[in-house]
Amino acid sequence: MIRNAPLHLRCRQFHSLRVVDLNPVYQDAKKELIQTLWQIVDTANSQELGDLIKSICESYDELQKCEVDSLRLESAVEQGKQRYKQISDTFPPLNLENWDQYARDRAPSLRDYIHGVEEVAKPPQITEQDRLLRALPYIWQDPLCMLPDDEGTEEGVQIEGGRLELICPITCRPFQQPMVSKKCGHVFDKEGITNYFDGHSSRDCPQGACVQKLALRDFVPDDIMKLRCLIQGKRTQNEDETPLDVL
Ligand SMILES: [Zn+2]
């Protein structure tokens, strides 16, 4: 016996309906934005840099909106399917008497149900790429600024009067290849940290007052700090290039 007959023959595929997962496309697009960012920070002159960074921030905003829309649609389709199934279950099972009626009547469209649902989508996942792209407008404004996400939790870097220092605590020189500890968030230059661990498999974090036991493998490149240094470098370069007669 057929139970829970679908409203219409064309609804056979109904339960396999899925929203295409666009997440990999969004992640690739973010990677490309970041590659472009490194390229322009490296090659663009400081006059054109502002416009290019603005355009990257705008593209990222668009991307975020699309990401949220996709998650909303995904959630709406799932909820719409649930409601459709609930209603479908209340219809009498298909039999010879009602066969003609089922075949003749127009089945309601899933679209009708999707539009009626409450839009409760899960928030997008924040990746390392997101952290960098979200930090970009703030860092462009002020490479030494505290980021809004880090307020109250930022302990990993040297802070002087609410602003960051772009100096490695080990080498006491500006960061060249900043590396961040995944365990405590402290940042050191690659050269300094490599020398510090020379001949040791693990040691205390070199940051004063941090008692974390660390190994060299606990460090990963710190792209946010790298971005700060590169943009700060461009700013200083710009100041040096400004002709004296306009000062
Ligand atoms: Zn530490």
Side-chain angles (χ1 to χ4, degrees), residues 37 53 56-57 132-141 227 231:
L37 173 64
I53 284 185
I56 288 190
C57 293
L132 183 67
L133 289 163
R134 284 176 182 209
L136 177 61
Y138 298 99
I139 294 178
W140 172 245
Q141 283 296 317
L227 183 66
I231 290 182

Side-chain angles (χ1 to χ4, degrees), residues 33-49:
L33 278 183
I34 290 174
Q35 270 173 13
T36 313
L37 173 64
W38 291 135
Q39 232 166 32
I40 61 165
V41 174
D42 189 36
T43 55
N45 67 44
S46 36
Q47 276 80 22
E48 56 193 18
L49 195 57

